[in-house]
Structure formats: C-alpha cells, structure tokens
Amino acid sequence: MLEAKVLSRPDNLEIEIESVLACDLMSDLLAHPKPGGLLITGLSNIQMVRALVAADMNAAVVVRGKLPEDRVIQMADETGIILLDTRMSLFEACGQLYAHGLRGVPPEEHFSHVVRTPL
Amino acid sequence: MSSEPLYEEVFTIEGKDYLQGGAVSIVIKKILEKFDYSPETVRRTAIIVYEAEMNITLYADRGQIKLMAFKEEIQLLIEDEGQGIMDIDMALQDGFSTATAEMREMGFGAGMGLPNIRRNSNQFSISSTVGTGTTLSITVQPKVEEHS
C-alpha cells in the first residue's frame, strides 16, 4: 500500500505493527515512543535508527524517496529494525496507513507511568 | 542504596562525533536487558541516555555517562566539559533549543531533549557552569504495580 521497498531485515516482515508515529524530529520520536510501532519519517540517518532501538520500535518508512546510506541500512540489519523506503510524501504515506486501519496512540496515554519530580 | 551495584560502567562521548550519536544508548540498553528490569524501565533509561548523549555530542566538547545499575533502580551520572547552559529554566522548557541549522538538518533541535530526560526520570537534577560544563544526576525506578 505504500509502494515501499524493504531495505533491511526482510526476515522480520511478519511482525505486527501496533501503532504508528509520524515525525521528522528525533526528540519528538523519543517523546512519544511506540513499543512495537512503526515510524514514518523523512529522517534517513543512522541516529534515527538508534533512536528507534532506544524507543523499542520495530520499523521505519523513510518517505520522499530519500534512500538511507549503506551504513544506515547495515545498522538497521544489525539492530533488527525493518527499514522501508517509499517515494510517497509523509502525508500520503500517513493517509494510506490510516485508510487501512492503522492508528497512533492518543496523547493522554503517553507517560502514564511517569512520576514528575519538581526540581 | 544499601546494595552493591549489579553493574557499573563509564562511557565517554566526544563532542561533534555525530556518526556515533546514540551508540552508547544502544550499548546500555543491551547491558540492562540482561537483568530483571521491565522493558519499560529499560526503554526509559535508553531514551534518557540517548538524549543526554546527543546533548554532549551536539553542544559539549566531551562528556561521560556513568551507569550504575542496582536491583531497585538505575542511576546515571552525566557530566560534560564545554559551553554549559546559560539559562537552565529556559533549557528545560518544551520546544526551547539552541540547535544550529546543521543540527536541525539531522533531525535535532526539537527542544525536547532535557524535557524528555526529566519526564522519564524518577529523580532528576541538573547543574551547569557557563564555560565549564553541565552535570545531570538521574534515577530511574521501576513503576510500582498497583495491587487490587
């Protein structure tokens, strides 16, 4: 549905995606981690793959036809992240996944575990 | 802490070493996964380390992350040498960033680094001296399960 090419870990393609997050800023990704989730992003660098690992996410679709460098694909292979690549825009890719029933997580469900401590 | 740490290690980060950005967080995540912490506790710690590591990489000359994993909690002591933070209150606000255009092109500069660290911590303290560096002291405690 995304006309995407699989760049890494084709052996992992049977996993279930629980929710989707779309963003282009690293700390927005880390502010809303989606364990088991999919990231849709225009970021294609190695730090993005590492951020996905920290956030326990499974996969990322890189949009706008940006092809990640070989070392980024290699990092994804090594860390078990499924990396996909599509020519679609961020908006179109989100729209396609939403139309096929995938959803994000409502903001109030984030950080329900966190104890806020005053400085 | 009355107990001895289960694991202790210091990791060094060089400023402006962008290619390594986030690498320490993955190493620490792998270490912590060997112990009995919940996936949520490990994830919170990995996110804290990633953000702290990127702050050192982006803004400092160099820094260290000391990991002390205890049975009951995980402690992190993060110290860097560099420009320091001029206004800590501003830096702690969501969306405030001093990132350059180059950093933003890499996807940094959301202004959520320190807020993300604080949100995932049970205890968090920060101190900084302009021209010298910044220190963060963090504790991550597993969520206490409610029993009905």
Side-chain angles (χ1 to χ4, degrees):
Chain A
M1 73 189 87
L2 290 180
E3 296 156 17
K5 192 168 123 200
V6 180
L7 301 174
S8 72
R9 299 309 295 261
D11 54 305
N12 260 358
L13 286 177
E14 292 305 312
I15 55 149
E16 289 237 352
I17 294 296
E18 298 185 17
S19 63
V20 183
L21 171 68
C23 67
D24 277 353
L25 290 175
M26 215 71 74
S27 290
D28 280 344
L29 156 62
L30 295 172
H32 307 104
K34 303 268 187 298
L38 169 74
L39 174 70
I40 309 180
T41 185
L43 294 175
S44 58
N45 55 21
I46 203 166
Q47 300 91 346
M48 177 270 291
V49 175
R50 295 191 182 116
L52 288 174
V53 175
D56 284 332
M57 290 178 65
N58 281 338
V61 180
V62 179
V63 298
R64 307 181 203 118
K66 291 187 189 188
L67 185 63
E69 290 176 6
D70 285 344
R71 63 169 159 230
V72 179
I73 297 172
Q74 191 183 348
M75 172 67 54
D77 269 326
E78 285 169 16
T79 51
I81 298 286
I82 303 161
L83 208 53
L84 303 123
D85 176 53
T86 177
R87 296 176 68 89
M88 284 190 186
S89 68
L90 188 74
F91 177 77
E92 279 178 274
C94 290
Q96 283 289 329
L97 293 178
Y98 196 91
H100 284 85
L102 282 162
R103 296 291 181 265
V105 171
E108 56 271 11
E109 285 185 25
H110 301 150
F111 298 111
S112 54
H113 59 276
V114 173
V115 175
R116 296 204 65 146
T117 52
L119 284 180
Chain B
M1 279 281 92
S2 52
S3 52
E4 286 296 303
L6 303 172
Y7 189 93
E8 210 172 341
E9 187 174 347
V10 176
F11 302 86
T12 302
I13 293 131
E14 277 304 307
K16 308 293 179 269
D17 191 1
Y18 298 129
L19 266 191
Q20 288 305 311
V24 172
S25 72
I26 301 195
V27 170
I28 286 182
K29 186 173 186 225
K30 279 207 183 91
I31 290 167
L32 295 176
E33 280 168 348
K34 296 195 182 120
F35 299 102
D36 281 336
Y37 304 115
S38 69
E40 185 181 350
T41 300
V42 174
R43 183 188 327 127
R44 286 165 58 200
T45 308
I47 289 173
I48 289 167
V49 173
Y50 186 103
E51 293 284 23
E53 183 183 351
M54 284 320 305
N55 277 347
I56 295 171
T57 304
L58 294 169
Y59 301 110
D61 297 329
R62 70 194 57 81
Q64 289 189 328
I65 297 181
K66 184 174 182 185
L67 166 71
M68 289 162 284
F70 295 89
K71 188 161 173 288
E72 300 87 351
E73 66 184 32
I74 297 163
Q75 292 177 7
L76 297 162
L77 180 64
I78 301 157
E79 295 173 300
D80 72 43
E81 295 164 37
Q83 56 181 307
I85 300 172
M86 268 221 251
D87 187 334
I88 290 182
D89 287 334
M90 285 290 282
L92 285 165
Q93 283 183 32
D94 288 5
F96 177 83
S97 173
T98 55
T100 62
E102 186 194 3
M103 294 172 188
R104 289 176 198 277
E105 272 175 41
M106 286 188 272
F108 300 105
M112 298 295 290
L114 289 175
N116 279 346
I117 291 173
R118 183 158 67 149
R119 256 199 297 273
N120 282 289
S121 310
N122 290 88
Q123 277 144 36
F124 168 89
S125 71
I126 178 171
S127 62
S128 186
T129 305
V130 171
T132 303
T134 300
T135 299
L136 303 180
S137 178
I138 286 150
T139 305
V140 180
Q141 287 153 352
K143 178 170 92 168
V144 174
E145 295 301 321
E146 300 288 331
H147 293 289
S148 53

